[in-house]
Amino acid sequence: MAYQSHQPLGSLGSVPRNNDLGFLSLATKCDPKGVSSCSSVINDIIASMLAGDIPNQSILIDGRFRTTEPLLIDRSALVADPILGARTQISFVGYGAAHGQLVSDHNGACIDYRGNSGDGVRSLLKWGGFGLYGPSRAAGSRGILTDKLVFFDFDNVDLNNFEYGFKSTDTFLGSFNNVRMVQNKYGIRMEANSFSGPNAVTFRNVTIGHNKTYGAYLKGGSGISFIGGSVEGNGTDGISEDTGSFGMLLTETGGYGQGVLSMSGTYFEGNKGYADLWLDSY
């Protein structure tokens, strides 16, 4: 499919500018009106791209697509290429959440990314321009679930109505830009599993709002930056399993001997429970 001159939102810099690689339109592969499930079709596309059986392209979310099982990107067994570490990377792009949605009609993650911590493996992930919508905050549901993700960029993504909008382990060195995490039970939770908390993560113009128990829980990170955006109206339903309600919590921080948080122009209002912004340490 030839490269298109009008790029989807969030894809700038991520799609090769030539006539061999471009966008793979989901609307040409499965039901773009969200009636029939597209999970098996999308997972087959992902598996074929990871195996190198079809050209690596950006998957264009150009409609409303229903999922009934997680979309799995499993790169945990990837043998790293020291020069092209992301040669089998999967990109999701779209023209904005009004034009591209994945509607998750199941528990578990809508998109489940599993990376590799081996030497030389670079995620170089860039997704943007779409919305994910969950099953009424059902227990176990996640918008995006990541493990071992490094060098990432989420741009213009909506995460709505899941238990966790975004949940990650060992995910660091990346950015969220114009992302909206709203009306979930928990907006975002990032922490270490085996080797790293959310170090060197930047949030630019990110909205974390109206999540029922808390907005953001960031554990064990350093060098976290917020530029603009808002944390508003979170924590309205009381107590979570391990903490109270709040807007944003940074806990077990400072383990890397540097500044934990920098913030410029971020708006806080109406978060219930302990605090709008709660800073903890070891």
Side-chain angles (χ1 to χ4, degrees), residues 115-278:
N116 188 327
S117 59
D119 182 44
V121 175
R122 294 178 285 276
S123 302
L124 302 178
L125 191 73
K126 188 174 180 70
W127 293 350
F130 58 88
L132 304 183
Y133 300 91
S136 301
R137 296 187 288 269
S141 64
R142 284 93 172 91
I144 296 175
L145 179 67
T146 69
D147 180 59
K148 298 181 178 66
L149 174 60
V150 59
F151 301 127
F152 64 89
D153 182 10
F154 296 105
D155 184 7
N156 192 32
V157 174
D158 283 11
L159 302 171
N160 298 267
N161 221 24
F162 294 93
E163 181 181 29
Y164 287 90
F166 186 93
K167 194 170 192 293
S168 71
T169 49
D170 299 335
T171 295
F172 58 103
L173 290 171
S175 65
F176 298 85
N177 306 287
N178 301 300
V179 172
R180 291 160 292 279
M181 309 173 192
V182 298
Q183 296 179 335
N184 304 286
K185 184 173 176 64
Y186 312 104
I188 178 172
R189 180 166 180 144
M190 304 181 73
E191 58 195 315
N193 180 31
S194 58
F195 67 91
S196 181
N199 296 316
V201 175
T202 299
F203 298 79
R204 295 185 183 89
N205 195 32
V206 170
T207 299
I208 303 173
H210 303 284
N211 298 288
K212 298 291 285 183
T213 300
Y214 60 68
Y217 182 111
L218 307 175
K219 183 177 181 180
S222 294
I224 297 168
S225 299
F226 278 80
I227 302 168
S230 63
V231 181
E232 181 178 4
N234 299 286
T236 57
D237 75 345
I239 303 301
S240 70
E241 60 199 24
D242 53 357
T243 66
S245 58
F246 49 85
M248 180 191 304
L249 168 65
L250 279 74
T251 185
E252 297 186 16
T253 56
Y256 295 90
Q258 66 182 69
V260 173
L261 174 67
S262 64
M263 187 171 286
S264 176
T266 304
Y267 180 75
F268 285 80
E269 181 187 349
N271 298 287
K272 305 298 182 181
Y274 284 121
D276 283 313
L277 175 60
W278 181 7

